[in-house]
Amino acid sequence: MRHDRFESFLWGQVLLVALLAASLGLFVSYPSLRTSYDLPGLRLVLATVFMLTSALVAVLAGARFSADGRRFDFLLTAGFAVISMSWLVFTVGPGIAGDSELSSGTAGRILGWMFIAAAPFASGRVEHRRRVLWWSLGAAAASLFPIWELARHFHDITSLLALQGLLQLVAMVAFSNRFRLRSEDLDQWLTYVATLTLFAALGQIFTKDVETMSFARADGLVLVANGILLVGLWRAIRASEFGRVVGEERARVAREIHDGLAQYLFAVSTHASMLEKGADPEETLRHLKEAALLAQQEARYAILALSSASGRSPFDTALRRYVDVLTADGLLEVELEIDPRVQLGPDEQIEVFRIVQEGLANVRKHSEALHAVVEIGGRGSDRYVRVRDDGAGFETGHPQTGEGLRNMRDRAESIGGALSLRSAPGYGTALEVVLRA
């Protein structure tokens, strides 16, 4: 799969390079085809667009860096921040005043491309992320002024463009190789960006089209590159968010198995081992059968919970089926009241299911209750889930309110809810979770 993706990408990259090279060759061979327009206003607008695009990319890459701390994202953030500042300091600001210098702007962008070209070679993560990020951005901004002093005395703009093109060539090859190794979506988009901007620089060199405030073919390529850059980084951030959600869901499923089914399977294994060691067959087989039935029941509960959360089974239907299984022996009557106007998200459904399951399990084990009520309803802008019974009740500081209550509180907090418990000897127990609006 990864090989197929890279092969498709490689052929697309070859085609893009061939088209851009053919276009460049055509413009070099036939000077009459070269067109540039002396439109300072349009050039200034484009420079502003490039500045804002680079700034937005720096912000998005910085957000990824703040979340993951990867050096790769750090270098991208620094590179695009420097490019954005160079557009502002050397092109947009002076352009408004009617005094723009191409050499200074190019030198500033060379510094930015140094960071970007180094990004594919970076690995590992950074500690103290915010401190490092702000310090480095400040240092990069300060370095623009020495660059400006050097560049204003350097009149060979072709050499500067050649150096910029060399860095973009390195970035193109490095991002392509990184995509081959990692198959990360962002790498292929950055390869396209490096390719387009490389040919924009080559076009300026070979066609001698280096007028400061003229609009030419190179500006069109840079404009396309900026659009691709935004799309690519946005897709990468969406993919990262999806990966985070998948990771959380895997952790949730693992917790479901650990908290429920695994405990009963362990009991089955323990009793089977006792039977092998010569324990009383009649007593051990009875416990073994009980543990196996509980494991089967727990597996059914887990399937109901997970299927309701994934949308394959309506939540209220799954909950009613659970209550039917729980009360089949007639030892506890459970009344279920669900307000159809109350909506629960997929992440909320599975946690509410487990909270209700834990609450009713406690009712059966500890309360000596004959009747319990489960309510899911609304109160003003809040939604609530309540489990109450007519059992013996207890002092809320009793040890039996420990681990089970902590598990339910953790589940409630994971979906932005708050759990409260009210009970007293002889007055039953009421458990309530208030969910975010």
Short mmCIF file of all heavy atoms in Angstrom, two decimals, residues 280-342:
data_model
loop_
_atom_site.label_atom_id
_atom_site.label_comp_id
_atom_site.label_asym_id
_atom_site.label_seq_id
_atom_site.Cartn_x
_atom_site.Cartn_y
_atom_site.Cartn_z
N ASP A 280 -11.99 -29.36 45.08
CA ASP A 280 -13.28 -30.05 45.09
C ASP A 280 -14.01 -29.80 43.77
O ASP A 280 -14.36 -28.66 43.45
CB ASP A 280 -14.12 -29.51 46.25
CG ASP A 280 -15.49 -30.17 46.32
OD1 ASP A 280 -15.64 -31.27 45.76
OD2 ASP A 280 -16.40 -29.57 46.90
N PRO A 281 -14.23 -30.84 42.96
CA PRO A 281 -14.82 -30.65 41.63
C PRO A 281 -16.19 -29.99 41.67
O PRO A 281 -16.48 -29.11 40.87
CB PRO A 281 -14.89 -32.06 41.06
CG PRO A 281 -13.88 -32.84 41.82
CD PRO A 281 -13.87 -32.25 43.20
N GLU A 282 -17.04 -30.40 42.58
CA GLU A 282 -18.40 -29.88 42.61
C GLU A 282 -18.41 -28.38 42.88
O GLU A 282 -19.05 -27.60 42.17
CB GLU A 282 -19.21 -30.62 43.67
CG GLU A 282 -20.67 -30.19 43.70
CD GLU A 282 -21.49 -31.00 44.70
OE1 GLU A 282 -20.96 -32.00 45.24
OE2 GLU A 282 -22.65 -30.62 44.93
N GLU A 283 -17.67 -27.96 43.92
CA GLU A 283 -17.64 -26.54 44.28
C GLU A 283 -16.92 -25.72 43.21
O GLU A 283 -17.39 -24.64 42.82
CB GLU A 283 -16.92 -26.38 45.63
CG GLU A 283 -16.87 -24.94 46.15
CD GLU A 283 -18.23 -24.45 46.61
OE1 GLU A 283 -19.15 -25.28 46.78
OE2 GLU A 283 -18.37 -23.23 46.80
N THR A 284 -15.79 -26.25 42.71
CA THR A 284 -15.01 -25.50 41.72
C THR A 284 -15.76 -25.37 40.41
O THR A 284 -15.75 -24.30 39.78
CB THR A 284 -13.65 -26.19 41.48
OG1 THR A 284 -12.98 -26.35 42.73
CG2 THR A 284 -12.79 -25.36 40.55
N LEU A 285 -16.44 -26.44 40.00
CA LEU A 285 -17.21 -26.37 38.75
C LEU A 285 -18.35 -25.37 38.86
O LEU A 285 -18.69 -24.69 37.87
CB LEU A 285 -17.75 -27.76 38.38
CG LEU A 285 -16.73 -28.74 37.79
CD1 LEU A 285 -17.35 -30.12 37.63
CD2 LEU A 285 -16.24 -28.22 36.43
N ARG A 286 -18.94 -25.27 40.04
CA ARG A 286 -20.02 -24.29 40.23
C ARG A 286 -19.49 -22.87 40.03
O ARG A 286 -20.10 -22.06 39.32
CB ARG A 286 -20.65 -24.45 41.61
CG ARG A 286 -21.83 -23.53 41.86
CD ARG A 286 -22.48 -23.84 43.21
NE ARG A 286 -21.57 -23.59 44.30
CZ ARG A 286 -21.38 -22.36 44.85
NH1 ARG A 286 -22.03 -21.31 44.37
NH2 ARG A 286 -20.55 -22.22 45.86
N HIS A 287 -18.33 -22.59 40.67
CA HIS A 287 -17.74 -21.26 40.51
C HIS A 287 -17.28 -21.03 39.07
O HIS A 287 -17.38 -19.90 38.55
CB HIS A 287 -16.56 -21.11 41.47
CG HIS A 287 -16.95 -21.00 42.90
ND1 HIS A 287 -17.84 -20.06 43.37
CD2 HIS A 287 -16.58 -21.73 44.00
CE1 HIS A 287 -18.00 -20.20 44.68
NE2 HIS A 287 -17.25 -21.23 45.08
N LEU A 288 -16.78 -22.07 38.45
CA LEU A 288 -16.32 -21.95 37.06
C LEU A 288 -17.49 -21.61 36.14
O LEU A 288 -17.37 -20.76 35.24
CB LEU A 288 -15.65 -23.26 36.63
CG LEU A 288 -15.03 -23.29 35.22
CD1 LEU A 288 -13.95 -22.25 35.08
CD2 LEU A 288 -14.46 -24.68 34.93
N LYS A 289 -18.61 -22.28 36.37
CA LYS A 289 -19.78 -22.02 35.55
C LYS A 289 -20.28 -20.59 35.76
O LYS A 289 -20.64 -19.90 34.80
CB LYS A 289 -20.88 -23.03 35.88
CG LYS A 289 -22.12 -22.87 35.03
CD LYS A 289 -23.17 -23.92 35.39
CE LYS A 289 -24.42 -23.74 34.54
NZ LYS A 289 -25.46 -24.75 34.88
N GLU A 290 -20.29 -20.13 37.01
CA GLU A 290 -20.72 -18.76 37.30
C GLU A 290 -19.82 -17.74 36.58
O GLU A 290 -20.31 -16.76 35.99
CB GLU A 290 -20.70 -18.50 38.80
CG GLU A 290 -21.79 -19.22 39.57
CD GLU A 290 -21.68 -18.99 41.07
OE1 GLU A 290 -20.68 -18.35 41.49
OE2 GLU A 290 -22.58 -19.45 41.80
N ALA A 291 -18.50 -17.98 36.67
CA ALA A 291 -17.56 -17.04 36.04
C ALA A 291 -17.74 -17.04 34.53
O ALA A 291 -17.68 -15.99 33.87
CB ALA A 291 -16.13 -17.41 36.40
N ALA A 292 -17.98 -18.22 33.93
CA ALA A 292 -18.17 -18.29 32.49
C ALA A 292 -19.45 -17.57 32.06
O ALA A 292 -19.47 -16.86 31.05
CB ALA A 292 -18.21 -19.75 32.04
N LEU A 293 -20.52 -17.73 32.84
CA LEU A 293 -21.77 -17.04 32.53
C LEU A 293 -21.60 -15.52 32.64
O LEU A 293 -22.12 -14.76 31.82
CB LEU A 293 -22.89 -17.54 33.45
CG LEU A 293 -23.39 -18.97 33.18
CD1 LEU A 293 -24.38 -19.37 34.27
CD2 LEU A 293 -24.04 -19.04 31.81
N LEU A 294 -20.87 -15.09 33.68
CA LEU A 294 -20.63 -13.66 33.84
C LEU A 294 -19.78 -13.11 32.70
O LEU A 294 -20.00 -12.00 32.22
CB LEU A 294 -19.95 -13.39 35.19
CG LEU A 294 -20.83 -13.57 36.43
CD1 LEU A 294 -19.98 -13.46 37.70
CD2 LEU A 294 -21.94 -12.50 36.44
N ALA A 295 -18.79 -13.91 32.24
CA ALA A 295 -17.96 -13.48 31.11
C ALA A 295 -18.81 -13.36 29.85
O ALA A 295 -18.66 -12.41 29.07
CB ALA A 295 -16.83 -14.48 30.90
N GLN A 296 -19.71 -14.32 29.65
CA GLN A 296 -20.59 -14.26 28.49
C GLN A 296 -21.50 -13.04 28.56
O GLN A 296 -21.72 -12.34 27.57
CB GLN A 296 -21.42 -15.55 28.42
CG GLN A 296 -22.33 -15.64 27.20
CD GLN A 296 -23.18 -16.89 27.21
OE1 GLN A 296 -23.37 -17.50 28.25
NE2 GLN A 296 -23.66 -17.29 26.05
N GLN A 297 -22.03 -12.79 29.75
CA GLN A 297 -22.91 -11.64 29.93
C GLN A 297 -22.14 -10.33 29.72
O GLN A 297 -22.63 -9.40 29.06
CB GLN A 297 -23.50 -11.67 31.34
CG GLN A 297 -24.56 -10.60 31.58
CD GLN A 297 -25.09 -10.69 33.01
OE1 GLN A 297 -24.32 -10.60 33.95
NE2 GLN A 297 -26.39 -10.88 33.15
N GLU A 298 -20.90 -10.27 30.24
CA GLU A 298 -20.09 -9.07 30.08
C GLU A 298 -19.76 -8.82 28.62
O GLU A 298 -19.75 -7.68 28.15
CB GLU A 298 -18.80 -9.20 30.90
CG GLU A 298 -17.82 -8.06 30.72
CD GLU A 298 -18.39 -6.72 31.12
OE1 GLU A 298 -19.26 -6.67 32.00
OE2 GLU A 298 -17.96 -5.71 30.55
N ALA A 299 -19.47 -9.89 27.87
CA ALA A 299 -19.20 -9.75 26.44
C ALA A 299 -20.42 -9.18 25.73
O ALA A 299 -20.31 -8.31 24.85
CB ALA A 299 -18.81 -11.09 25.84
N ARG A 300 -21.62 -9.63 26.13
CA ARG A 300 -22.84 -9.12 25.53
C ARG A 300 -23.02 -7.63 25.86
O ARG A 300 -23.39 -6.83 25.01
CB ARG A 300 -24.04 -9.93 26.04
CG ARG A 300 -25.34 -9.60 25.32
CD ARG A 300 -26.50 -10.41 25.87
NE ARG A 300 -26.28 -11.85 25.67
CZ ARG A 300 -26.16 -12.72 26.67
NH1 ARG A 300 -26.25 -12.30 27.92
NH2 ARG A 300 -25.97 -13.99 26.43
N TYR A 301 -22.72 -7.25 27.11
CA TYR A 301 -22.82 -5.84 27.50
C TYR A 301 -21.85 -4.98 26.68
O TYR A 301 -22.20 -3.89 26.21
CB TYR A 301 -22.48 -5.67 28.98
CG TYR A 301 -23.48 -6.30 29.94
CD1 TYR A 301 -23.13 -6.53 31.26
CD2 TYR A 301 -24.75 -6.65 29.52
CE1 TYR A 301 -24.02 -7.11 32.15
CE2 TYR A 301 -25.65 -7.24 30.40
CZ TYR A 301 -25.28 -7.47 31.72
OH TYR A 301 -26.16 -8.03 32.58
N ALA A 302 -20.63 -5.49 26.52
CA ALA A 302 -19.62 -4.72 25.78
C ALA A 302 -20.05 -4.53 24.33
O ALA A 302 -19.88 -3.45 23.76
CB ALA A 302 -18.27 -5.43 25.85
N ILE A 303 -20.60 -5.58 23.72
CA ILE A 303 -21.05 -5.48 22.33
C ILE A 303 -22.18 -4.47 22.22
O ILE A 303 -22.22 -3.64 21.30
CB ILE A 303 -21.50 -6.85 21.81
CG1 ILE A 303 -20.29 -7.78 21.68
CG2 ILE A 303 -22.23 -6.73 20.48
CD1 ILE A 303 -20.64 -9.22 21.41
N LEU A 304 -23.11 -4.50 23.17
CA LEU A 304 -24.21 -3.53 23.16
C LEU A 304 -23.68 -2.11 23.29
O LEU A 304 -24.09 -1.21 22.56
CB LEU A 304 -25.18 -3.83 24.31
CG LEU A 304 -26.06 -5.08 24.17
CD1 LEU A 304 -26.86 -5.28 25.45
CD2 LEU A 304 -26.98 -4.95 22.98
N ALA A 305 -22.74 -1.90 24.21
CA ALA A 305 -22.20 -0.56 24.44
C ALA A 305 -21.45 -0.06 23.22
O ALA A 305 -21.65 1.06 22.76
CB ALA A 305 -21.27 -0.57 25.66
N LEU A 306 -20.56 -0.89 22.67
CA LEU A 306 -19.76 -0.45 21.53
C LEU A 306 -20.60 -0.26 20.28
O LEU A 306 -20.36 0.65 19.50
CB LEU A 306 -18.63 -1.46 21.27
CG LEU A 306 -17.57 -1.53 22.37
CD1 LEU A 306 -16.66 -2.72 22.13
CD2 LEU A 306 -16.77 -0.25 22.44
N SER A 307 -21.60 -1.13 20.08
CA SER A 307 -22.43 -0.98 18.89
C SER A 307 -23.30 0.26 18.97
O SER A 307 -23.52 0.94 17.98
CB SER A 307 -23.32 -2.22 18.70
OG SER A 307 -24.22 -2.36 19.80
N SER A 308 -23.76 0.62 20.18
CA SER A 308 -24.54 1.85 20.32
C SER A 308 -23.67 3.07 20.07
O SER A 308 -24.09 4.04 19.46
CB SER A 308 -25.18 1.93 21.70
OG SER A 308 -24.20 2.11 22.70
N ALA A 309 -22.42 3.03 20.53
CA ALA A 309 -21.53 4.17 20.33
C ALA A 309 -21.13 4.34 18.88
O ALA A 309 -20.86 5.44 18.43
CB ALA A 309 -20.27 4.00 21.18
N SER A 310 -21.07 3.25 18.12
CA SER A 310 -20.66 3.36 16.73
C SER A 310 -21.83 3.58 15.79
O SER A 310 -21.65 3.69 14.58
CB SER A 310 -19.95 2.06 16.31
OG SER A 310 -20.84 0.97 16.39
N GLY A 311 -23.04 3.66 16.36
CA GLY A 311 -24.20 3.96 15.54
C GLY A 311 -24.88 2.74 14.96
O GLY A 311 -25.86 2.86 14.25
N ARG A 312 -24.38 1.54 15.20
CA ARG A 312 -24.98 0.34 14.64
C ARG A 312 -26.22 -0.09 15.44
O ARG A 312 -27.02 -0.86 14.95
CB ARG A 312 -23.95 -0.80 14.60
CG ARG A 312 -22.83 -0.58 13.61
CD ARG A 312 -22.02 -1.85 13.42
NE ARG A 312 -21.38 -2.28 14.65
CZ ARG A 312 -20.17 -1.88 15.03
NH1 ARG A 312 -19.50 -1.02 14.28
NH2 ARG A 312 -19.64 -2.33 16.15
N SER A 313 -26.34 0.36 16.64
CA SER A 313 -27.50 0.03 17.46
C SER A 313 -27.93 1.29 18.19
O SER A 313 -27.10 1.92 18.83
CB SER A 313 -27.15 -1.07 18.46
OG SER A 313 -28.24 -1.31 19.33
N PRO A 314 -29.21 1.68 18.08
CA PRO A 314 -29.64 2.88 18.80
C PRO A 314 -29.33 2.75 20.29
O PRO A 314 -29.52 1.70 20.89
CB PRO A 314 -31.15 2.92 18.54
CG PRO A 314 -31.33 2.13 17.28
CD PRO A 314 -30.28 1.06 17.30
N PHE A 315 -28.92 3.84 20.88
CA PHE A 315 -28.47 3.81 22.27
C PHE A 315 -29.57 3.34 23.21
O PHE A 315 -29.34 2.49 24.07
CB PHE A 315 -27.97 5.20 22.68
CG PHE A 315 -27.66 5.32 24.14
CD1 PHE A 315 -26.51 4.76 24.67
CD2 PHE A 315 -28.52 5.99 25.00
CE1 PHE A 315 -26.22 4.86 26.01
CE2 PHE A 315 -28.24 6.10 26.35
CZ PHE A 315 -27.09 5.53 26.85
N ASP A 316 -30.76 3.91 23.07
CA ASP A 316 -31.83 3.54 24.00
C ASP A 316 -32.22 2.07 23.84
O ASP A 316 -32.53 1.38 24.81
CB ASP A 316 -33.05 4.44 23.81
CG ASP A 316 -33.56 4.46 22.38
OD1 ASP A 316 -32.82 4.01 21.49
OD2 ASP A 316 -34.70 4.92 22.17
N THR A 317 -32.15 1.54 22.61
CA THR A 317 -32.45 0.12 22.39
C THR A 317 -31.41 -0.76 23.08
O THR A 317 -31.75 -1.74 23.74
CB THR A 317 -32.45 -0.18 20.88
OG1 THR A 317 -33.45 0.63 20.25
CG2 THR A 317 -32.75 -1.66 20.63
N ALA A 318 -30.13 -0.37 22.94
CA ALA A 318 -29.07 -1.13 23.59
C ALA A 318 -29.22 -1.12 25.10
O ALA A 318 -29.04 -2.14 25.78
CB ALA A 318 -27.71 -0.56 23.20
N LEU A 319 -29.59 0.06 25.64
CA LEU A 319 -29.74 0.17 27.09
C LEU A 319 -30.92 -0.66 27.59
O LEU A 319 -30.84 -1.31 28.64
CB LEU A 319 -29.90 1.64 27.47
CG LEU A 319 -29.66 2.00 28.94
CD1 LEU A 319 -28.27 1.56 29.38
CD2 LEU A 319 -29.82 3.51 29.15
N ARG A 320 -32.02 -0.66 26.83
CA ARG A 320 -33.19 -1.46 27.24
C ARG A 320 -32.86 -2.95 27.20
O ARG A 320 -33.30 -3.72 28.06
CB ARG A 320 -34.38 -1.13 26.33
CG ARG A 320 -34.93 0.26 26.51
CD ARG A 320 -36.14 0.53 25.63
NE ARG A 320 -36.47 1.94 25.61
CZ ARG A 320 -37.13 2.58 26.58
NH1 ARG A 320 -37.53 1.90 27.65
NH2 ARG A 320 -37.39 3.86 26.48
N ARG A 321 -32.09 -3.36 26.18
CA ARG A 321 -31.70 -4.77 26.10
C ARG A 321 -30.82 -5.14 27.29
O ARG A 321 -30.93 -6.24 27.85
CB ARG A 321 -30.98 -5.03 24.78
CG ARG A 321 -31.91 -5.01 23.57
CD ARG A 321 -31.13 -5.04 22.27
NE ARG A 321 -30.31 -6.24 22.15
CZ ARG A 321 -29.38 -6.40 21.22
NH1 ARG A 321 -29.15 -5.44 20.35
NH2 ARG A 321 -28.69 -7.52 21.18
N TYR A 322 -29.95 -4.24 27.68
CA TYR A 322 -29.10 -4.50 28.84
C TYR A 322 -29.94 -4.66 30.10
O TYR A 322 -29.74 -5.59 30.90
CB TYR A 322 -28.09 -3.37 29.01
CG TYR A 322 -27.50 -3.32 30.40
CD1 TYR A 322 -26.64 -4.32 30.82
CD2 TYR A 322 -27.82 -2.30 31.28
CE1 TYR A 322 -26.09 -4.29 32.10
CE2 TYR A 322 -27.29 -2.26 32.56
CZ TYR A 322 -26.43 -3.27 32.96
OH TYR A 322 -25.91 -3.24 34.22
N VAL A 323 -30.91 -3.77 30.27
CA VAL A 323 -31.77 -3.84 31.46
C VAL A 323 -32.57 -5.15 31.45
O VAL A 323 -32.75 -5.79 32.49
CB VAL A 323 -32.70 -2.62 31.51
CG1 VAL A 323 -33.80 -2.81 32.56
CG2 VAL A 323 -31.90 -1.36 31.81
N ASP A 324 -33.04 -5.56 30.28
CA ASP A 324 -33.79 -6.82 30.18
C ASP A 324 -32.92 -8.00 30.63
O ASP A 324 -33.39 -8.90 31.35
CB ASP A 324 -34.26 -7.05 28.74
CG ASP A 324 -35.37 -6.09 28.34
OD1 ASP A 324 -35.98 -5.49 29.25
OD2 ASP A 324 -35.60 -5.90 27.13
N VAL A 325 -31.66 -8.03 30.20
CA VAL A 325 -30.75 -9.10 30.61
C VAL A 325 -30.50 -9.05 32.11
O VAL A 325 -30.50 -10.07 32.81
CB VAL A 325 -29.42 -9.00 29.82
CG1 VAL A 325 -28.40 -9.99 30.36
CG2 VAL A 325 -29.66 -9.25 28.35
N LEU A 326 -30.31 -7.84 32.62
CA LEU A 326 -29.98 -7.67 34.04
C LEU A 326 -31.12 -8.12 34.95
O LEU A 326 -30.89 -8.68 36.03
CB LEU A 326 -29.63 -6.20 34.31
CG LEU A 326 -29.23 -5.83 35.73
CD1 LEU A 326 -27.84 -6.37 36.04
CD2 LEU A 326 -29.26 -4.32 35.93
N THR A 327 -32.35 -7.86 34.53
CA THR A 327 -33.50 -8.12 35.41
C THR A 327 -34.20 -9.44 35.09
O THR A 327 -35.30 -9.70 35.60
CB THR A 327 -34.51 -6.97 35.28
OG1 THR A 327 -34.92 -6.85 33.91
CG2 THR A 327 -33.88 -5.65 35.72
N ALA A 328 -33.57 -10.27 34.24
CA ALA A 328 -34.24 -11.51 33.82
C ALA A 328 -34.51 -12.45 34.98
O ALA A 328 -35.47 -13.23 34.94
CB ALA A 328 -33.40 -12.22 32.75
N ASP A 329 -33.70 -12.39 36.04
CA ASP A 329 -33.89 -13.31 37.16
C ASP A 329 -34.95 -12.82 38.14
O ASP A 329 -35.26 -13.50 39.13
CB ASP A 329 -32.57 -13.54 37.89
CG ASP A 329 -31.95 -12.25 38.39
OD1 ASP A 329 -32.59 -11.17 38.28
OD2 ASP A 329 -30.79 -12.29 38.86
N GLY A 330 -35.51 -11.62 37.93
CA GLY A 330 -36.58 -11.11 38.77
C GLY A 330 -36.17 -10.57 40.13
O GLY A 330 -37.03 -10.20 40.93
N LEU A 331 -34.87 -10.49 40.41
CA LEU A 331 -34.42 -10.01 41.72
C LEU A 331 -34.47 -8.49 41.83
O LEU A 331 -34.49 -7.94 42.93
CB LEU A 331 -32.99 -10.49 41.98
CG LEU A 331 -32.81 -12.01 42.08
CD1 LEU A 331 -31.35 -12.35 42.32
CD2 LEU A 331 -33.69 -12.58 43.20
N LEU A 332 -34.48 -7.78 40.69
CA LEU A 332 -34.49 -6.32 40.70
C LEU A 332 -35.37 -5.83 39.56
O LEU A 332 -35.28 -6.32 38.43
CB LEU A 332 -33.07 -5.77 40.53
CG LEU A 332 -32.94 -4.25 40.45
CD1 LEU A 332 -33.29 -3.61 41.80
CD2 LEU A 332 -31.52 -3.85 40.03
N GLU A 333 -36.23 -4.88 39.87
CA GLU A 333 -37.06 -4.24 38.85
C GLU A 333 -36.42 -2.89 38.51
O GLU A 333 -36.11 -2.10 39.39
CB GLU A 333 -38.47 -4.02 39.38
CG GLU A 333 -39.39 -3.34 38.38
CD GLU A 333 -40.77 -3.02 38.97
OE1 GLU A 333 -41.03 -3.44 40.12
OE2 GLU A 333 -41.54 -2.33 38.30
N VAL A 334 -36.21 -2.67 37.22
CA VAL A 334 -35.57 -1.43 36.77
C VAL A 334 -36.51 -0.70 35.81
O VAL A 334 -36.99 -1.29 34.82
CB VAL A 334 -34.22 -1.69 36.07
CG1 VAL A 334 -33.62 -0.39 35.55
CG2 VAL A 334 -33.25 -2.36 37.03
N GLU A 335 -36.79 0.54 36.12
CA GLU A 335 -37.62 1.39 35.27
C GLU A 335 -36.69 2.33 34.49
O GLU A 335 -35.85 3.02 35.06
CB GLU A 335 -38.58 2.19 36.13
CG GLU A 335 -39.56 3.05 35.35
CD GLU A 335 -40.52 3.80 36.27
OE1 GLU A 335 -40.53 3.49 37.48
OE2 GLU A 335 -41.21 4.69 35.79
N LEU A 336 -36.85 2.35 33.17
CA LEU A 336 -35.98 3.14 32.30
C LEU A 336 -36.77 4.29 31.70
O LEU A 336 -37.79 4.07 31.03
CB LEU A 336 -35.41 2.25 31.20
CG LEU A 336 -34.28 2.80 30.35
CD1 LEU A 336 -33.08 3.19 31.19
CD2 LEU A 336 -33.86 1.78 29.29
N GLU A 337 -36.32 5.53 31.95
CA GLU A 337 -36.98 6.74 31.44
C GLU A 337 -35.98 7.55 30.63
O GLU A 337 -35.04 8.12 31.18
CB GLU A 337 -37.52 7.58 32.60
CG GLU A 337 -38.54 6.86 33.47
CD GLU A 337 -38.99 7.70 34.65
OE1 GLU A 337 -38.53 8.88 34.75
OE2 GLU A 337 -39.78 7.20 35.47
N ILE A 338 -36.18 7.57 29.29
CA ILE A 338 -35.26 8.29 28.40
C ILE A 338 -36.04 9.36 27.64
O ILE A 338 -37.00 9.04 26.93
CB ILE A 338 -34.58 7.33 27.40
CG1 ILE A 338 -33.80 6.25 28.15
CG2 ILE A 338 -33.66 8.10 26.47
CD1 ILE A 338 -33.15 5.23 27.23
N ASP A 339 -35.67 10.60 27.82
CA ASP A 339 -36.30 11.70 27.10
C ASP A 339 -35.79 11.67 25.65
O ASP A 339 -34.60 11.83 25.41
CB ASP A 339 -35.91 13.03 27.75
CG ASP A 339 -36.68 14.21 27.16
OD1 ASP A 339 -37.16 14.10 26.02
OD2 ASP A 339 -36.77 15.26 27.85
N PRO A 340 -36.69 11.47 24.67
CA PRO A 340 -36.23 11.37 23.27
C PRO A 340 -35.61 12.66 22.74
O PRO A 340 -34.93 12.64 21.71
CB PRO A 340 -37.52 11.01 22.51
CG PRO A 340 -38.63 11.48 23.39
CD PRO A 340 -38.15 11.33 24.80
N ARG A 341 -35.85 13.77 23.42
CA ARG A 341 -35.27 15.05 22.96
C ARG A 341 -33.81 15.20 23.36
O ARG A 341 -33.12 16.08 22.85
CB ARG A 341 -36.08 16.21 23.52
CG ARG A 341 -37.53 16.27 23.02
CD ARG A 341 -38.34 17.28 23.78
NE ARG A 341 -38.42 16.91 25.21
CZ ARG A 341 -39.05 17.64 26.13
NH1 ARG A 341 -39.65 18.77 25.77
NH2 ARG A 341 -39.10 17.22 27.38
N VAL A 342 -33.35 14.36 24.26
CA VAL A 342 -31.96 14.44 24.72
C VAL A 342 -31.06 13.63 23.78
O VAL A 342 -31.30 12.44 23.58
CB VAL A 342 -31.82 13.93 26.17
CG1 VAL A 342 -30.36 13.88 26.58
CG2 VAL A 342 -32.61 14.82 27.12
#
